[in-house]
Amino acid sequence: MAADIIHPGHLNIIDEGAKLGDVVVGLLTDSAIAAYKRVPHMRYDQRLAVVEHLKGVGRVVAQEQLDYRPNLRKLKPDYLLHGSDWQAGVMNGPRQQARETMAEWGGEVVEPAYTEGISSTRLISGVKEAGVSPDARLAQLTRLLEVKPTIRGMEAHNGLSAHIVDRVTVPDANGVRTGFDVIWISSLTDSMAKGKPDNESVDFSSRLVTINQVLEASTKPVIVDGDSGGHDQHFAQMVRTLERLGVSAVVIEDKAGLKRNSLHEDTHAHIQETKEAFSRKIRAGIKARRTDNFMVIARIESLIVGSGHDDAIERAKAYLGAGASAIMIHSKDATGADVKRFSKVYNTLPNRRPLMMVPTSYNAVSEAELTSWGANIVVYANHLLRAAYPAMEQAAQKILQHGRALEAEQLCLPIPDFLKLITDE
Ligand code: SPV
Ligand code: MG
């Protein structure tokens, strides 16, 4: 069991087990649960403390994955009990394997009927609907990084796009639904959505309007693009504000002067901040935060501005030394080879912290490959707004071409569906 929220269904299974003999609970580890449903609210050691004290439980063993076979072979139990809900969905594969394994020594599989009307998934969706407090949301990012090798982020630039990132999921090959773990507030898409270039002309007060919309429309943790962070004192204020709102992290990039977007064709458009000055800014941010869970992520632009691999590594060491909670390495190389080379060295640093990548240019590299390079956070930084633009432009053109809206309807979400997206219920 996951036993994140104990309910009568769990107690029923333990009672049924106790009628048959000594009960050993296989308790799924945090990464095992995160891999198939969600990040557990309680850590393994907390869940262990609870389950160990439940009446009827003899012993608890860690189960590292959904596959029951390793523990079954170790324990060779006479009976395996599992709630009957594992007969469908993602648990069906592990169930078949467990049944075959139990048959090896003539063990019996007992499936007490699922307790109607209660399940942790249902309880949790009720809690989700009630919303999330700033503190709880803030802490979600460090928790995700503890339990998942790589987390996946998508940009949002207003409430509606945040609504999409919050809810969209697709089934993988095993039927496990995957979605985005975190929301990225991009300076590029926030600026463009406001009809401005990505050069810090949208000031922080204006960015806060977007951040608030995103926080209102979602429950996922949020990482904010803090551009260059401005002066040290301004950055310290930004950290305080974001932390108070429940944002989990801010990324600042080591650029100086008029900041231009990193994917700009003209590499000479950028001036890189000195390593020393940028380290001071990181220290100012780290000093300003109230909790260790708020992350100050230092973004290295050496591969963007052309100062090279060695410079990027030196800066990573300096920024980690200054207390950066994570490093983002950026590149516009279409193969990502320079990011891969950087990661190889970065992964060997003794005080390595999570590594973030934004594969806009090297978009043919899969998440699985980025994980093998060492990516802990992968962010799709601008795709929802870039997808929306041609769709909106086409609808506008269709209406002009036909002198009416009928032909544009096929490009549009029907009004009833549109109204159902966000309701007052
Ligand atoms: C953003 O999304 O604003 C970023 C990433 O900073 S990039 O546009 O690639 O610079
Ligand atoms: Mg940006």
Side-chain angles (χ1 to χ4, degrees), residues 150-157 165 179-186 188-189 223 263 328 330 356-371 375 377-386:
T150 309
I151 62 173
R152 187 190 290 124
M154 169 58 89
E155 69 96 3
H157 48 274
V165 185
F180 292 99
D181 300 298
V182 32
I183 300 179
W184 167 244
I185 308 271
S186 152
L188 174 61
T189 63
I223 303 179
L263 308 176
M328 169 180 156
H330 206 16
M356 171 170 165
M357 297 179 190
V358 176
T360 307
S361 300
Y362 45 107
N363 57 8
V365 185
S366 68
E367 280 171 15
E369 203 167 348
L370 296 177
T371 300
I377 308 175
V378 171
V379 161
Y380 299 94
N382 44 53
H383 299 78
L384 295 192
L385 188 60
R386 281 172 56 219

Side-chain angles (χ1 to χ4, degrees), residues 5-50:
I5 296 181
I6 298 283
H7 55 71
H10 295 104
L11 304 182
N12 179 44
I13 292 172
I14 293 166
D15 281 351
E16 291 300 316
K19 287 181 196 158
L20 298 168
D22 298 330
V23 175
V24 182
V25 174
L27 187 64
L28 291 163
T29 60
D30 292 350
S31 4
I33 300 171
Y36 88 102
K37 47 180 182 186
R38 60 184 158 73
V39 176
H41 294 277
M42 284 194 287
R43 291 191 315 267
Y44 179 82
D45 56 322
Q46 296 170 321
R47 293 182 288 113
L48 174 65
V50 172

Side-chain angles (χ1 to χ4, degrees), residues 294-354:
F294 184 84
M295 297 177 73
V296 173
I297 304 180
R299 162 170 166 180
I300 298 171
E301 292 287 293
S302 306
L303 306 178
I304 294 282
V305 306
S307 43
H309 170 84
D310 292 348
D311 182 69
I313 297 294
E314 284 314 306
R315 283 173 182 269
K317 289 181 191 162
Y319 301 165
L320 289 174
S325 325
I327 294 290
M328 169 180 156
I329 184 69
H330 206 16
S331 161
K332 59 188 181 106
D333 182 307
T335 65
D338 52 359
V339 169
K340 186 176 179 184
R341 182 170 171 226
F342 169 89
S343 311
K344 221 173 182 170
V345 181
Y346 180 77
N347 294 338
T348 66
L349 297 182
N351 54 347
R352 181 197 190 279
R353 299 212 182 93

Side-chain angles (χ1 to χ4, degrees), residues 228-286:
S228 70
H231 294 290
D232 295 2
Q233 291 83 347
H234 296 162
F235 181 50
Q237 293 295 330
M238 189 193 284
V239 165
R240 293 246 169 99
T241 305
L242 294 175
E243 192 178 27
R244 174 173 56 75
L245 291 174
V247 166
S248 302
V250 62
V251 178
I252 48 167
E253 57 197 279
D254 55 4
K255 286 209 191 97
L258 180 67
K259 191 223 77 164
R260 291 273 166 67
N261 183 271
S262 299
L263 308 176
H264 208 281
E265 276 170 15
D266 177 10
T267 332
H268 301 295
H270 314 295
I271 305 164
Q272 197 172 18
E273 183 55 280
T274 66
K275 193 170 66 188
E276 293 72 23
F278 197 69
S279 299
R280 277 197 297 277
K281 201 181 296 189
I282 295 166
R283 274 195 211 98
I286 291 291

Side-chain angles (χ1 to χ4, degrees), residues 4 48 55 64 118 156 199 203 207 246 284-285 293 320 353 415:
D4 195 20
L48 174 65
K55 196 170 133 204
E64 310 277 350
I118 189 112
N199 62 4
D203 67 11
R207 178 126 324 133
N293 281 330
L320 289 174
R353 299 212 182 93
I415 288 286

